[in-house]
Amino acid sequence: MLDQVPTQLVVCESPTNPVTKIADIEHLTEHARRAGALTVLDNTFAGFHNHGQYPIDVFLHSLTKYASGHGDVMGGAIIAAKPLIAAMRKDVVTIGPTLDPHAAFLIQRGMRTYFLRYDRQCATALQVARFLEKDRRVRRVFHPGLESHPQHALARRQMSDFGAVVTFELGAGLAEGDRFAEALRYFAICASLGSTESLVMPARLLGGNEFDEAQRTMSMINQGTVRLSIGLEEPEDLISDLAQALDQAIP
Ligand SMILES: *Cc1c(COP(=O)(O)O)cnc(C)c1O
Protein backbone atom coordinates (compact mmCIF):
# COMPACT_ATOMS: atom_id res chain seq x y z
CA MET A 1 0.00 0.00 0.00
CA LEU A 2 2.51 2.53 1.20
CA ASP A 3 4.65 2.33 -1.91
CA GLN A 4 1.66 3.43 -4.01
CA VAL A 5 1.43 6.77 -2.22
CA PRO A 6 3.57 9.29 -4.09
CA THR A 7 6.33 10.98 -2.10
CA GLN A 8 5.16 14.44 -1.06
CA LEU A 9 7.93 15.66 1.18
CA VAL A 10 11.69 15.09 1.15
CA VAL A 11 13.31 16.10 4.45
CA CYS A 12 17.05 16.29 4.88
CA GLU A 13 19.75 17.83 7.02
CA SER A 14 23.30 18.77 6.00
CA PRO A 15 25.76 18.51 7.62
CA THR A 16 23.99 16.08 9.96
CA ASN A 17 24.09 16.17 13.71
CA PRO A 18 26.49 14.99 15.12
CA VAL A 19 28.69 13.12 12.61
CA THR A 20 28.46 15.73 9.79
CA LYS A 21 27.27 13.48 6.97
CA ILE A 22 26.66 15.56 3.84
CA ALA A 23 23.43 15.31 1.83
CA ASP A 24 23.87 15.53 -1.95
CA ILE A 25 21.46 18.45 -2.28
CA GLU A 26 21.54 18.76 -6.07
CA HIS A 27 20.68 15.09 -6.43
CA LEU A 28 17.92 15.23 -3.79
CA THR A 29 16.28 18.38 -5.14
CA GLU A 30 16.35 17.04 -8.72
CA HIS A 31 14.64 13.80 -7.75
CA ALA A 32 12.15 15.56 -5.45
CA ARG A 33 11.19 18.00 -8.22
CA ARG A 34 10.66 15.16 -10.67
CA ALA A 35 8.36 13.43 -8.16
CA GLY A 36 6.51 16.68 -7.46
CA ALA A 37 7.59 16.59 -3.80
CA LEU A 38 8.46 19.56 -1.60
CA THR A 39 11.99 19.69 -0.18
CA VAL A 40 12.80 20.66 3.40
CA LEU A 41 16.39 21.21 4.54
CA ASP A 42 17.40 21.63 8.17
CA ASN A 43 20.24 24.07 7.47
CA THR A 44 21.18 24.79 11.10
CA PHE A 45 24.70 23.31 10.99
CA ALA A 46 25.47 24.93 7.63
CA GLY A 47 24.29 28.43 8.52
CA PHE A 48 22.08 30.91 6.62
CA HIS A 49 24.71 31.77 4.00
CA ASN A 50 25.15 28.20 2.76
CA HIS A 51 23.01 26.17 0.29
CA GLY A 52 21.03 29.17 -1.02
CA GLN A 53 21.98 28.21 -4.60
CA TYR A 54 19.75 25.10 -4.46
CA PRO A 55 16.00 25.05 -5.16
CA ILE A 56 15.04 24.01 -1.63
CA ASP A 57 11.38 24.81 -0.86
CA VAL A 58 11.69 25.17 2.90
CA PHE A 59 14.80 25.96 4.95
CA LEU A 60 14.65 25.25 8.68
CA HIS A 61 17.00 26.95 11.14
CA SER A 62 17.41 26.78 14.86
CA LEU A 63 17.92 30.44 15.81
CA THR A 64 19.18 29.18 19.17
CA LYS A 65 22.52 28.35 17.54
CA TYR A 66 24.51 30.61 15.16
CA ALA A 67 21.80 33.29 14.80
CA SER A 68 21.54 34.22 18.45
CA GLY A 69 25.11 33.07 18.93
CA HIS A 70 25.31 33.72 22.66
CA GLY A 71 23.52 30.68 24.07
CA ASP A 72 20.97 32.84 25.84
CA VAL A 73 17.78 32.45 23.80
CA MET A 74 15.77 29.79 21.97
CA GLY A 75 14.00 30.20 18.66
CA GLY A 76 13.53 28.77 15.20
CA ALA A 77 12.92 30.01 11.67
CA ILE A 78 11.12 28.66 8.61
CA ILE A 79 12.38 30.27 5.40
CA ALA A 80 10.27 29.72 2.27
CA ALA A 81 8.48 31.54 -0.55
CA LYS A 82 5.51 33.69 0.50
CA PRO A 83 2.68 31.36 -0.58
CA LEU A 84 4.19 28.49 1.43
CA ILE A 85 4.68 30.69 4.49
CA ALA A 86 1.09 31.93 4.15
CA ALA A 87 -0.12 28.33 4.10
CA MET A 88 1.82 27.51 7.27
CA ARG A 89 1.31 30.74 9.17
CA LYS A 90 -2.12 30.09 10.64
CA ASP A 91 -1.20 26.65 12.02
CA VAL A 92 2.14 27.82 13.31
CA VAL A 93 0.66 30.84 15.09
CA THR A 94 -2.15 28.71 16.54
CA ILE A 95 0.25 26.07 17.87
CA GLY A 96 2.09 28.83 19.67
CA PRO A 97 5.80 29.06 18.81
CA THR A 98 5.82 32.86 18.80
CA LEU A 99 8.95 34.68 19.97
CA ASP A 100 8.56 37.04 22.89
CA PRO A 101 9.89 40.57 22.16
CA HIS A 102 13.05 40.18 24.26
CA ALA A 103 14.00 36.89 22.57
CA ALA A 104 13.37 38.50 19.16
CA PHE A 105 15.58 41.45 20.15
CA LEU A 106 18.43 39.17 21.27
CA ILE A 107 18.29 37.19 18.02
CA GLN A 108 18.26 40.36 15.91
CA ARG A 109 21.22 41.70 17.84
CA GLY A 110 23.05 38.38 17.51
CA MET A 111 22.57 38.42 13.74
CA ARG A 112 24.68 41.59 13.44
CA THR A 113 27.82 39.61 14.27
CA TYR A 114 26.73 36.39 12.55
CA PHE A 115 29.39 36.39 9.81
CA LEU A 116 32.25 37.41 12.11
CA ARG A 117 31.39 34.67 14.57
CA TYR A 118 30.73 31.98 11.98
CA ASP A 119 33.99 32.71 10.09
CA ARG A 120 36.11 32.64 13.21
CA GLN A 121 34.42 29.57 14.69
CA CYS A 122 34.83 27.65 11.42
CA ALA A 123 38.50 28.53 11.14
CA THR A 124 39.16 27.44 14.73
CA ALA A 125 37.07 24.27 14.26
CA LEU A 126 39.27 23.19 11.36
CA GLN A 127 42.41 23.76 13.47
CA VAL A 128 40.90 21.73 16.31
CA ALA A 129 39.87 18.95 13.91
CA ARG A 130 43.41 18.77 12.49
CA PHE A 131 44.86 18.62 15.99
CA LEU A 132 42.53 15.79 17.05
CA GLU A 133 43.29 13.83 13.87
CA LYS A 134 46.90 13.53 14.97
CA ASP A 135 46.25 12.29 18.52
CA ARG A 136 46.79 8.57 19.09
CA ARG A 137 43.80 8.34 21.47
CA VAL A 138 41.40 9.60 18.82
CA ARG A 139 40.11 6.89 16.49
CA ARG A 140 38.32 9.09 14.00
CA VAL A 141 37.40 12.77 13.47
CA PHE A 142 34.26 13.98 11.67
CA HIS A 143 34.45 17.46 10.18
CA PRO A 144 33.49 18.25 6.56
CA GLY A 145 36.50 20.57 6.17
CA LEU A 146 38.96 17.72 6.67
CA GLU A 147 40.37 16.09 3.53
CA SER A 148 39.82 12.75 5.32
CA HIS A 149 36.05 13.34 5.51
CA PRO A 150 34.52 10.78 3.09
CA GLN A 151 32.35 13.52 1.53
CA HIS A 152 34.84 16.38 1.64
CA ALA A 153 34.66 16.95 -2.13
CA LEU A 154 30.85 17.13 -2.03
CA ALA A 155 30.95 19.50 0.96
CA ARG A 156 33.44 21.71 -0.89
CA ARG A 157 31.13 21.84 -3.91
CA GLN A 158 28.07 22.75 -1.86
CA MET A 159 29.40 24.93 0.95
CA SER A 160 31.68 27.95 1.32
CA ASP A 161 32.73 26.87 4.84
CA PHE A 162 32.09 23.86 6.99
CA GLY A 163 30.60 24.79 10.35
CA ALA A 164 32.00 24.80 13.85
CA VAL A 165 31.04 21.33 15.02
CA VAL A 166 33.84 18.82 15.37
CA THR A 167 32.81 15.29 16.35
CA PHE A 168 35.30 12.57 17.11
CA GLU A 169 35.60 9.05 18.47
CA LEU A 170 37.74 8.34 21.47
CA GLY A 171 39.23 4.88 21.31
CA ALA A 172 37.61 4.20 24.70
CA GLY A 173 34.28 3.83 26.52
CA LEU A 174 31.64 5.98 28.20
CA ALA A 175 33.64 6.49 31.40
CA GLU A 176 36.63 7.92 29.52
CA GLY A 177 34.28 10.18 27.53
CA ASP A 178 32.78 11.52 30.76
CA ARG A 179 36.24 11.99 32.29
CA PHE A 180 37.40 13.82 29.16
CA ALA A 181 34.39 16.20 29.14
CA GLU A 182 34.74 16.93 32.85
CA ALA A 183 38.47 17.59 32.56
CA LEU A 184 37.97 20.33 29.94
CA ARG A 185 38.24 23.87 31.32
CA TYR A 186 37.10 25.92 28.32
CA PHE A 187 34.26 23.68 27.14
CA ALA A 188 30.93 23.66 28.98
CA ILE A 189 29.05 20.34 29.01
CA CYS A 190 25.94 21.39 27.13
CA ALA A 191 23.57 20.11 24.43
CA SER A 192 23.59 23.27 22.28
CA LEU A 193 26.04 24.62 19.68
CA GLY A 194 26.97 27.87 17.96
CA SER A 195 27.62 29.82 21.17
CA THR A 196 30.46 32.25 21.89
CA GLU A 197 31.83 29.67 24.33
CA SER A 198 32.91 26.19 23.32
CA LEU A 199 30.68 23.27 24.31
CA VAL A 200 31.13 19.52 24.63
CA MET A 201 28.73 16.57 24.60
CA PRO A 202 30.18 13.19 25.55
CA ALA A 203 28.62 9.92 24.31
CA ARG A 204 26.45 9.51 27.41
CA LEU A 205 24.56 12.69 26.47
CA LEU A 206 24.50 11.92 22.73
CA GLY A 207 22.59 8.68 23.31
CA GLY A 208 25.65 6.44 22.99
CA ASN A 209 24.39 4.56 26.02
CA GLU A 210 20.83 3.84 24.92
CA PHE A 211 21.16 2.89 21.26
CA ASP A 212 20.97 -0.72 20.11
CA GLU A 213 23.40 -2.10 17.54
CA ALA A 214 21.28 -1.07 14.52
CA GLN A 215 20.79 2.48 15.83
CA ARG A 216 24.50 2.75 16.55
CA THR A 217 25.35 1.73 13.00
CA MET A 218 22.85 4.10 11.43
CA SER A 219 23.59 7.14 13.62
CA MET A 220 27.34 6.41 13.72
CA ILE A 221 27.21 7.30 17.44
CA ASN A 222 28.94 4.85 19.75
CA GLN A 223 30.31 4.88 23.29
CA GLY A 224 33.42 6.81 22.26
CA THR A 225 31.66 9.61 20.37
CA VAL A 226 32.25 13.20 21.54
CA ARG A 227 30.73 16.31 19.94
CA LEU A 228 32.45 19.66 20.24
CA SER A 229 30.98 23.03 19.32
CA ILE A 230 33.77 25.52 18.82
CA GLY A 231 33.36 29.02 20.23
CA LEU A 232 35.30 32.26 20.01
CA GLU A 233 38.19 31.42 22.36
CA GLU A 234 41.82 31.50 21.18
CA PRO A 235 42.48 28.36 19.10
CA GLU A 236 45.72 27.65 21.02
CA ASP A 237 43.84 27.76 24.33
CA LEU A 238 41.25 25.28 23.09
CA ILE A 239 43.89 22.94 21.66
CA SER A 240 45.96 22.89 24.84
CA ASP A 241 42.79 22.35 26.86
CA LEU A 242 41.85 19.36 24.67
CA ALA A 243 45.38 17.97 25.03
CA GLN A 244 45.34 18.11 28.84
CA ALA A 245 41.82 16.60 28.98
CA LEU A 246 42.91 13.72 26.72
CA ASP A 247 45.90 13.14 29.03
CA GLN A 248 43.60 12.98 32.04
CA ALA A 249 40.96 10.79 30.40
CA ILE A 250 43.28 8.29 28.69
CA PRO A 251 46.82 8.62 30.13
C1 LIG B 1 19.56 22.36 17.78
C2 LIG B 1 19.05 21.88 16.51
C3 LIG B 1 17.68 21.84 16.28
C4 LIG B 1 16.66 22.26 17.33
O1 LIG B 1 16.75 23.60 17.60
P1 LIG B 1 16.36 24.24 19.03
O2 LIG B 1 16.43 25.69 18.76
O3 LIG B 1 17.40 23.78 20.01
O4 LIG B 1 15.01 23.74 19.37
C5 LIG B 1 17.25 21.36 15.05
N1 LIG B 1 18.11 20.95 14.10
C6 LIG B 1 19.44 20.97 14.29
C7 LIG B 1 20.34 20.49 13.20
C8 LIG B 1 19.96 21.43 15.51
O5 LIG B 1 21.29 21.46 15.69
Side-chain angles (χ1 to χ4, degrees):
M1 269 307 261
L2 261 183
D3 59 9
Q4 290 166 18
V5 178
T7 302
Q8 296 187 31
L9 203 62
V10 174
V11 181
C12 57
E13 181 188 350
S14 191
T16 63
N17 182 13
V19 294
T20 70
K21 283 187 258 185
I22 305 294
D24 186 335
I25 300 174
E26 190 177 345
H27 182 81
L28 281 168
T29 48
E30 250 176 50
H31 281 263
R33 282 271 149 124
R34 211 170 304 145
L38 281 182
T39 46
V40 178
L41 175 64
D42 185 331
N43 210 29
T44 301
F45 268 43
F48 298 98
H49 61 296
N50 273 305
H51 299 149
Q53 72 273 35
Y54 294 106
I56 296 283
D57 295 302
V58 181
F59 282 103
L60 301 180
H61 280 270
S62 166
L63 299 177
T64 312
K65 315 288 173 53
Y66 298 109
S68 135
H70 293 69
D72 51 8
V73 60
M74 286 185 78
I78 303 171
I79 302 169
K82 270 190 179 155
L84 267 178
I85 292 288
M88 285 183 257
R89 191 172 196 98
K90 188 154 164 279
D91 284 342
V92 168
V93 170
T94 307
I95 294 164
T98 307
L99 281 178
D100 69 85
H102 188 62
F105 161 75
L106 286 173
I107 289 164
Q108 253 184 344
R109 189 153 92 159
M111 284 300 288
R112 292 182 192 175
T113 53
Y114 167 81
F115 281 109
L116 277 176
R117 288 184 284 100
Y118 198 95
D119 273 2
R120 167 67 184 263
Q121 288 169 341
C122 283
T124 308
L126 193 54
Q127 279 179 262
V128 165
R130 291 202 199 289
F131 160 77
L132 288 170
E133 237 183 357
K134 285 193 279 232
D135 193 283
R136 66 181 165 83
R137 291 153 297 193
V138 173
R139 199 158 35 197
R140 195 166 171 196
V141 183
F142 302 93
H143 181 71
L146 289 175
E147 290 76 10
S148 63
H149 188 290
Q151 294 169 297
H152 175 68
L154 176 61
R156 202 163 261 297
R157 239 186 357 261
Q158 294 187 169
M159 307 173 78
S160 56
D161 38 24
F162 306 106
V165 171
V166 179
T167 297
F168 65 98
E169 261 176 43
L170 280 175
L174 281 179
E176 287 80 3
D178 289 344
R179 212 155 57 220
F180 170 77
E182 278 157 24
L184 287 165
R185 299 193 194 112
Y186 284 106
F187 293 74
I189 300 176
C190 177
S192 196
L193 58 104
S195 290
T196 52
E197 69 270 55
S198 291
L199 309 172
V200 59
M201 269 185 97
R204 198 183 297 280
L205 295 181
L206 286 169
N209 207 17
E210 298 143 28
F211 289 175
D212 63 31
E213 200 50 45
Q215 288 170 321
R216 266 202 281 273
T217 305
M218 198 151 59
S219 68
M220 294 166 76
I221 298 172
N222 59 48
Q223 305 219 333
T225 309
V226 178
R227 186 185 82 183
L228 302 176
S229 166
I230 302 303
L232 293 176
E233 302 89 346
E234 286 299 320
E236 305 75 47
D237 289 341
L238 294 181
I239 286 170
S240 58
D241 193 26
L242 290 162
Q244 67 80 24
L246 282 167
D247 289 342
Q248 286 196 51
I250 313 173

